[in-house]
Amino acid sequence: MTLLQPKDAAEAAEMILWAGSERASLEIRAGGSKGGLGRPMRADHVLDASRLAGVVDYEPAELVLTARPGTPLKDIAALLAAQGQMLSFEPPDWRELLQGGGEPTLGGTLACNLSGPRRLRAGAARDFFLGFAGVNGRGEIFKAGGKVVKNVTGYDLCKLMAGSFGTLALLTEVTIKVMPRPENACTLLLPGLADEAAVGLMAGALNSPHEVSAAAQLPAIPARRLGFADSALTALRLEGPAPSIAFRAEALQLLFGSGPRLDAPESEAFWRKIGEVAPLLSLPGRVVWRLCPPPSVAPKLVAAILEKSPSAEHFYDWAGGLVWLSLDAADAGPDAGASLVRAALKPFGGHATLMAASEETREKVAVFEPEPPALAALTRKIKQGFDPYGALNPGRMREGA
Amino acid sequence: MIVMPPPDAAVLARRGAIVAALRGIVPGEGVIDAEIGRRAFECDALTAYRQLPMVVVLPQTKAQVVEVLRYCAANKIKVVPRGAGTSLSGGALPLEDAVLLGMSKFNRIVEIDAANRCAVVQPGVTNLAVTQAAQPLGLYYAPDPSSQIACTIGGNVAENSGGVHCLKYGLTTNNVIGVELVTMEGEIVQLGGKHFDTAGYDLLGVVVGSEGMLGVVTEVVVRLLPTPPGARALLVGFPGIEGAADCVAAIIGAGIIPGGMEMMDRLAIQAAEDFVHAGYPLDVDALLIVELDGCEAEVNHLVAAVEEIARKNGATTCRVSQSEAERLLFWAGRKAAFPAVGRISPDYLCMDGTIPRKRIGEVLLRMKEMEKKFGLRCANVFHAGDGNLHPLILYDANKPGELDRAEGFGQDILRLCVEVGGVLTGEHGVGVEKRDLMGAMFNESDLNQQQRLKCAFDEDSLLNPGKVFPQLCRCAELGRVHVHGGKLRFPDLPRF
Ligand SMILES: Cc1cc2nc3c(=O)[nH]c(=O)nc-3n(C[C@H](O)[C@H](O)[C@H](O)COP(=O)(O)OP(=O)(O)OC[C@H]3O[C@@H](n4cnc5c(N)ncnc54)[C@H](O)[C@@H]3O)c2cc1C
């Protein structure tokens, strides 16, 4: 096992070529915070991207930032905050969830397409990924996309990279779109709603013109873990200029009833915890799933799972479009509940990912939703085109890919 | 003129048999064989390029699309998909030896699903029809190309189309959450759906903007948004382009993302005003239309902020719409800018580069110099908020040499866009028009990666060939692993 630490794209390309010539595989790593995400890898060597760090260019008035992928996310966030800007997709910190340490980086965040509560309205990491340079598994340096906010020149390979978990190419430079930080924010909490009613309410709120920028439903137990009184909580976030928030909060309360209100700092802390999956953390002997169903069916889906696994716990983000589910590992059985979860999801559509489970479990169980044959064939051909030797992150997403 | 790939003589020789086979799949008037019928499809909105298709097929069902593609794949016949034919880059330009697959009969809105904030539509539905169907529920589909009464969702997906509101609400790619795609082999794949994100590679993301080259889209799920409760527009005039450009940067720098922010230069203002009488000031060099949307409290707050910024940047006129009618009037001139320019010139080419906003002033000045070099006029109407230029190059196709000069002018503009850090196309696509300029932005290695993606979907390059890439894909060559005598290219690299 060799630790390869390229200082630039040219060196990285040489290393990847070398790996290819040795028929050796590489685990791409930067901050190491997401080692526990996806299938465990058995790579021969580690390609450490942490020296590929630093901001290359940042033009606040252009809404564009170019950086090398190993740049810590917290550095990016601080740089943007100083200019009143932010990453709109609100990348969550999953270090506790994944029980790893490390330092989340910009490249890792994009490669895993990690988005937090604002994804609901603003879009996912992939929606802000404008361009990149990288090295494919053949050791070829290439670039795609651009450094401006609007571009349709050539295929959108940024989308292909986002969520490819380093299985197609090593990113060596990335350009993203950044957004102004809202002047102000507040969160409305509506207590006591059952899931079905809450998801209906959240849909109504999102379809209202009051620009809800995050919507979550916490059943009583997860709510209690966040330090709230013993009752379910439906949370709606509003962001914007202060007079606008005041008006919209009033309007929403007229529509849906009133409850406690979190002001900007508390609101920020609340949604950070939602992104971090805090309501389901530190439960020993559990596995955690992340389900993306069509939002409106989420309560039915959860009910179907609860019926089979009464010890399951859950909460909803993205107005129901994201369900976090914690299962008792012993109840869930050797497949960590995969067959239960996926059978429940099947009639509704969507996908389920096994997020937190032991390495042995993630090795055996399909961590990402299995693809139907025609789609799986396309996936295989794309992987083959970019990384024919299977050098990059072998088996991270699928067995043998 | 851009040269299209030479037709396959063997396919042309079998034309009769091919037409008969297609009639076996799509009955009746769904197969158009007569020249007069095919004529209607000979070009899209890049009218300088025309080609009669070998045969036109208008399928009505997904099963027919699958069958047609299977037949064409098996017989190595090229296929060019088409929506409404409003592409400005020649994306739907037919080929002499290809089937033109018109998707206009896929015109059903399958479902408006308010609970999931989306609509399921067939690809031949027009962009505007989606919004019209969603309106009774207070919802709409955000991307709004100026061609929205005619262009189809399938075309929007293929081109990743934008519109005046994409600064705040995103392009097609940010508003489409699912597609059903039939590959050239005739396989049906579902990419995305009513849920968020995908479990594997984001193939939905690459299909959007793939210019009809990865598969035929047979169904689309689009995100619907609540209609903003209100909007007001500001009409701001500047004595120079620089002031307007600085104002745009200052608005964004102040943390304001307007619903739309458009700029017009003197020639465009004049043409638009003569055409629709929107009340535009005629004594300014640059006009900005800034639209702010949201609840009344927010709109008023932002209007005041933008007025202040405009004043600081030397605006000589600044009017705020006082009614919905007035807001629409402000927009009327902008929306009619292309036809307005069409009235003052027999023909025009519409370019579409994007540049970093801070270079707007400089780039517009250099275009003025190019006007002299090429002896042609150029009007500018564009999406200033995102730096997406639409220079309209005025020419007369009947005057010998003018089209060539206009094309040369356009190419110089696009090269300039790339030179200042921008890109060849912001929303119209590469198509035929910008195909041979791809080398200005991408090197061979860059293009090879894009082609490898194409090869995964369409190994024989049968779907819409001759577009986007200056050279046809050589999938076998691109897929090859570089093995020499059982070894890789660089067998002896030292260990690191
Ligand atoms: C006056 C005018 C104004 C315009 N304004 C704008 C604007 O503001 N913003 C903007 O972005 N564009 C604009 N356009 C360009 C054009 O309208 C868009 O590119 C539009 O999306 C094309 O849609 P269409 O249905 O006409 O597609 P077509 O022109 O028929 O085809 C475009 C491409 O899509 C492919 N295609 C079509 N349907 C399918 C399908 N079902 N499956 C696979 N591939 C398919 C075709 O092969 C082709 O490559 C404008 C055009 C005009 C004429």
Side-chain angles (χ1 to χ4, degrees):
Chain A
M1 163 85 78
T2 314
L3 181 65
L4 304 166
Q5 296 184 298
K7 66 171 192 309
D8 56 24
E11 219 173 78
E14 255 185 288
M15 289 165 174
I16 293 175
L17 256 186
W18 166 77
S21 70
E22 300 269 303
R23 286 287 188 270
S25 57
L26 301 172
E27 173 184 341
I28 300 178
R29 183 194 291 169
S33 67
K34 289 180 264 297
L37 180 53
R39 301 182 70 248
M41 287 178 278
R42 303 262 177 273
D44 301 311
H45 307 290
V46 170
L47 183 61
D48 177 357
S50 49
R51 281 172 78 202
L52 301 171
V55 172
V56 178
D57 195 15
Y58 172 39
E59 301 260 3
E62 301 288 336
L63 303 177
V64 167
L65 178 141
T66 300
R68 305 214 294 167
T71 315
L73 209 48
K74 63 170 198 257
D75 294 359
I76 305 269
L79 182 70
L80 295 177
Q83 299 293 327
Q85 296 189 331
M86 63 173 187
L87 296 175
S88 217
F89 54 94
E90 215 173 5
D93 185 344
W94 284 349
R95 276 177 289 189
E96 247 190 275
L97 171 69
L98 301 171
Q99 297 185 3
E103 189 59 56
T105 61
L106 180 59
T109 302
L110 292 172
C112 302
N113 191 27
L114 291 199
S115 327
R118 204 183 286 102
R119 191 261 174 272
L120 169 68
R121 178 135 213 130
R126 53 90 95 171
D127 292 295
F128 295 84
F129 192 5
L130 299 175
F132 71 92
V135 183
N136 68 9
R138 300 164 179 265
E140 294 166 349
I141 294 177
F142 70 104
K143 65 177 179 305
K147 295 184 175 178
V148 288
V149 293
K150 195 170 172 196
N151 173 25
V152 298
T153 321
Y155 297 149
D156 192 351
L157 298 186
C158 296
K159 298 288 188 299
L160 191 62
M161 289 298 130
S164 66
F165 290 80
T167 59
L168 297 174
L170 168 76
L171 299 170
T172 56
E173 186 182 286
V174 296
T175 297
I176 53 170
K177 179 178 181 184
V178 299
M179 290 298 268
R181 240 182 129 68
E183 266 177 58
N184 215 322
C186 89
T187 293
L188 303 179
L189 298 176
L190 303 166
L193 289 175
D195 289 358
E196 188 83 44
V199 168
L201 182 149
M202 291 191 284
L206 280 165
N207 283 342
S208 81
H210 305 307
E211 292 188 62
V212 171
S213 79
Q217 159 73 359
L218 298 172
I221 295 173
R224 180 165 5 111
R225 286 214 196 87
L226 286 192
F228 292 97
D230 223 350
S231 138
L233 278 183
T234 312
L236 303 173
R237 179 171 65 185
L238 298 172
E239 295 176 301
S244 164
I245 291 189
F247 171 83
R248 281 143 65 208
E250 205 59 38
L252 282 173
Q253 288 188 334
L254 274 178
L255 285 172
F256 302 117
S258 55
R261 228 148 113 165
L262 305 178
D263 288 334
E266 294 165 292
S267 171
E268 194 176 326
F270 177 85
W271 291 104
R272 192 182 328 111
K273 286 183 202 149
I274 295 292
E276 289 169 2
V277 205
L280 299 182
L281 289 183
S282 12
L283 305 177
R286 317 262 310 180
V287 293
V288 178
W289 284 87
R290 183 174 181 271
L291 282 61
C292 293
S296 68
V297 302
K300 280 196 205 77
L301 166 67
V302 168
I305 293 170
L306 281 175
E307 194 178 307
K308 299 256 163 58
S309 179
S311 60
E313 286 193 26
H314 69 282
F315 75 94
Y316 308 82
D317 195 0
W318 301 352
L322 175 58
V323 180
W324 286 101
L325 180 76
S326 153
L327 300 177
D328 183 289
D331 282 3
D335 77 347
S339 45
L340 161 67
V341 167
R342 293 203 165 114
L345 191 61
K346 194 158 175 107
F348 303 115
H351 51 95
T353 310
L354 178 57
M355 296 298 297
S358 70
E359 211 171 292
E360 303 79 70
T361 309
R362 283 181 291 116
E363 175 123 48
K364 283 196 311 254
V365 176
V367 168
F368 297 96
E369 191 73 27
E371 295 178 324
L375 189 54
L378 284 173
T379 296
R380 237 182 352 261
K381 285 190 223 165
I382 291 169
K383 169 77 175 171
Q384 178 70 23
F386 280 77
D387 179 24
Y389 319 121
L392 306 179
N393 282 358
R396 179 89 192 244
M397 295 184 77
R398 321 219 168 253
E399 208 172 333
Chain B
M1 292 290 277
I2 310 277
V3 181
M4 296 307 282
D8 182 339
V11 167
L12 293 180
R14 282 185 288 134
R15 186 172 177 277
I18 292 169
V19 170
L22 291 168
R23 285 202 197 286
I25 301 169
V26 182
E29 292 172 355
V31 174
I32 301 173
D33 178 23
E35 181 179 329
I36 186 161
R38 285 183 284 142
R39 220 13 108 195
F41 298 87
E42 69 177 355
C43 69
D44 57 23
L46 183 71
T47 50
Y49 288 81
R50 285 167 200 269
Q51 170 63 55
L52 202 60
M54 178 171 70
V55 55
V56 176
V57 179
L58 306 175
Q60 215 154 8
T61 66
K62 182 166 66 178
Q64 289 172 352
V65 173
V66 168
E67 286 285 297
V68 168
L69 291 177
R70 283 212 178 123
Y71 168 78
C72 290
N75 293 281
K76 301 274 184 280
I77 299 163
K78 295 167 193 149
V79 176
V80 176
R82 178 183 169 108
T86 67
S87 168
L88 288 165
S89 57
L93 178 70
L95 295 169
E96 191 182 339
D97 59 343
V99 171
L100 187 97
L101 192 68
M103 297 301 287
S104 54
K105 292 192 174 165
F106 279 72
N107 58 1
R108 211 158 49 81
I109 291 178
V110 179
E111 184 189 3
I112 302 282
D113 181 350
N116 288 307
R117 301 176 292 289
C118 64
V120 182
V121 304
Q122 292 188 327
V125 170
T126 64
N127 174 293
L128 188 61
V130 180
T131 284
Q132 284 169 341
Q135 235 155 19
L137 299 165
L139 303 174
Y140 79 117
Y141 176 56
D144 57 344
S146 311
S147 50
Q148 70 181 154
I149 44 170
C151 68
T152 67
I153 292 293
N156 292 175
V157 166
E159 302 287 9
N160 188 11
S161 300
V164 296
H165 289 101
C166 64
L167 174 61
K168 182 167 176 186
Y169 297 103
L171 294 156
T172 301
T173 190
N174 313 110
N175 290 280
V176 163
I177 57 176
V179 298
E180 178 184 75
L181 186 81
V182 183
T183 66
M184 192 63 216
E185 290 172 326
E187 293 286 346
I188 301 169
V189 285
Q190 305 290 340
L191 307 174
K194 291 181 177 181
H195 52 273
F196 288 99
D197 301 334
T198 48
Y201 296 152
D202 184 359
L203 301 189
L204 169 64
V206 296
V207 163
V208 178
S210 64
E211 307 202 15
M213 295 171 74
L214 299 184
V216 175
V217 173
T218 46
E219 199 166 274
V220 185
V221 189
V222 301
R223 168 74 63 224
L224 298 176
L225 295 179
T227 313
R232 292 173 81 187
L234 291 89
L235 204 56
V236 196
F238 294 86
I241 291 280
E242 293 286 351
D246 290 347
C247 183
V248 169
I251 289 171
I252 295 201
I256 300 168
I257 303 290
M261 183 147 61
E262 301 283 305
M263 200 193 291
M264 296 166 79
D265 72 0
R266 192 176 266 274
L267 184 53
I269 300 167
Q270 183 75 54
E273 183 57 22
D274 288 348
F275 187 29
V276 298
H277 311 294
Y280 289 175
L282 295 175
D283 56 346
V284 295
D285 258 6
L287 186 68
L288 278 186
I289 305 174
V290 184
E291 178 162 291
L292 300 155
D293 59 6
C295 65
E296 198 180 335
E298 178 156 344
V299 171
N300 292 342
H301 176 83
L302 295 177
V303 164
V306 170
E307 271 183 309
E308 172 75 13
I309 294 169
R311 207 175 39 75
K312 279 196 187 138
N313 283 280
T316 46
T317 63
C318 182
R319 282 168 56 200
V320 182
S321 65
Q322 300 300 326
S323 64
E324 186 59 9
E326 193 174 19
R327 182 183 75 85
L328 294 174
L329 187 64
F330 285 3
W331 277 112
R334 165 63 186 90
K335 294 216 161 162
F338 289 13
V341 167
R343 289 185 353 137
I344 61 169
S345 170
D347 302 283
Y348 65 85
L349 279 182
C350 173
M351 311 311 292
D352 172 49
T354 304
I355 57 171
R357 270 176 292 253
K358 66 178 174 195
R359 312 291 290 263
I360 287 178
E362 170 195 349
V363 166
L364 292 189
L365 286 179
R366 290 200 31 205
M367 277 191 227
K368 287 277 153 222
E369 287 162 23
M370 290 181 196
E371 285 188 317
K372 291 188 203 113
K373 174 177 163 197
F374 289 96
L376 294 172
R377 286 184 302 163
C378 173
N380 268 291
V381 186
F382 60 93
H383 309 305
D386 37 30
N388 185 196
L389 306 177
H390 285 327
L392 303 175
I393 301 169
L394 281 46
Y395 73 100
D396 182 349
N398 288 327
K399 290 197 184 141
E402 277 216 354
L403 171 60
D404 285 342
R405 283 212 319 273
E407 286 197 316
F409 191 166
Q411 296 194 353
D412 273 10
I413 290 176
L414 295 183
R415 280 198 202 91
L416 174 61
C417 290
V418 175
E419 182 194 314
V420 301
V423 299
L424 296 172
T425 170
E427 59 179 14
H428 294 170
V430 176
V432 172
E433 186 205 17
K434 288 164 283 253
R435 186 191 76 186
D436 291 354
L437 280 174
M438 286 288 273
M441 202 171 136
F442 296 118
N443 64 28
E444 193 186 345
S445 177
D446 304 338
L447 291 173
N448 283 349
Q449 310 311 315
Q450 296 187 26
Q451 293 202 339
R452 287 202 172 102
L453 179 71
K454 161 79 172 166
C455 293
F457 283 83
D458 174 24
E459 227 179 316
D460 296 325
S461 282
L462 294 174
L463 202 55
N464 216 5
K467 317 284 167 76
V468 179
F469 299 117
Q471 285 185 327
L472 289 179
C473 303
R474 300 139 304 159
C475 293
E477 198 178 314
L478 284 172
R480 202 168 295 149
V481 259
H482 290 271
V483 182
H484 297 295
K487 287 238 170 83
L488 275 145
R489 264 192 302 177
F490 299 93
D492 307 319
L493 269 176
R495 284 186 156 265
F496 291 90

